[in-house]
Amino acid sequence: MSYPSLNLPSAQLKLSKEKEEFFVWCIIRRKKLLLTPEEWVRQHVIHYLIHHKRTPIERINSEHLLKINGQNRRCDIVVIDAFGNPKLIVECKASEINLDEKVFLQTSNYIQKSKAAYFWMTNGLNHVIVECRNPDVFLEELPDL
């Protein structure tokens, strides 16, 4: 198993191997998940939110369901506020995926539907963070939630 070092703090991931496949324990969903390149990034982001941004674990949802134009869509990570409203949506991509306009447009419906304050798109190496009320403003760092 060889996954790249990411531009995120290292995370204490619980990895296991069954037959020829690797799995990672998701502390949000409380189960083992197949370790894919995208899951590698998602789990690092989850640990970053919990351990570095001090986001309460009960406010983080992984694979959050949104209904958009009558279709079910899943957001990689959603952080909600104390009232249950989305505060941050995170779209995770594998590290080899470029964060380009195509990827941003693919996820822009999530922003509009959820009315979240912030949107963070990451491949673990590069990060794009925008304030949803002013999407022309790119933030250098994720604000405290």
Side-chain angles (χ1 to χ4, degrees):
M1 176 191 76
S2 178
Y3 286 99
S5 294
L6 302 177
N7 186 12
L8 288 162
S10 65
Q12 298 289 321
L13 301 181
K14 293 181 183 174
L15 305 176
S16 60
K17 185 177 180 183
E18 295 176 19
K19 298 183 181 166
E20 296 302 313
E21 296 183 310
F22 285 92
F23 293 84
V24 61
W25 178 257
C26 178
I27 58 176
I28 301 298
R29 296 168 71 190
R30 295 188 179 116
K31 65 180 186 177
K32 286 193 293 188
L33 302 173
L34 183 64
L35 185 58
T36 63
E38 183 177 307
E39 196 63 49
W40 177 254
V41 173
R42 182 179 11 243
Q43 292 302 317
H44 277 79
V45 169
I46 288 170
H47 282 260
Y48 170 76
L49 289 169
I50 293 168
H51 300 293
H52 295 275
K53 296 308 277 183
R54 305 278 185 236
T55 306
I57 196 168
E58 60 273 4
R59 291 196 181 162
I60 302 172
N61 293 314
S62 180
E63 293 287 317
H64 184 79
L65 183 66
L66 280 181
K67 210 167 205 45
I68 299 174
N69 298 329
Q71 296 183 324
N72 290 338
R73 300 282 186 222
R74 294 206 179 273
C75 298
D76 287 323
I77 300 169
V78 175
V79 176
I80 59 173
D81 64 17
F83 303 102
N85 301 311
K87 182 95 172 162
L88 167 70
I89 291 181
V90 184
E91 177 65 20
C92 300
K93 296 294 182 188
S95 58
E96 67 269 8
I97 303 293
N98 290 325
L99 301 182
D100 56 17
E101 188 174 347
K102 178 184 171 192
V103 173
F104 187 77
L105 289 174
Q106 170 193 352
T107 58
S108 63
N109 285 339
Y110 297 167
I111 299 169
Q112 294 168 347
K113 179 68 177 174
S114 74
K115 302 197 178 3
Y118 302 100
F119 177 71
W120 177 14
M121 184 170 52
T122 181
N123 63 8
L125 302 172
N126 300 299
H127 311 282
V128 177
I129 303 168
V130 296
E131 187 175 347
C132 295
R133 283 173 241 138
N134 193 357
D136 294 332
V137 175
F138 293 88
L139 305 174
E140 291 292 320
E141 186 178 323
L142 185 66
D144 289 337
L145 303 170

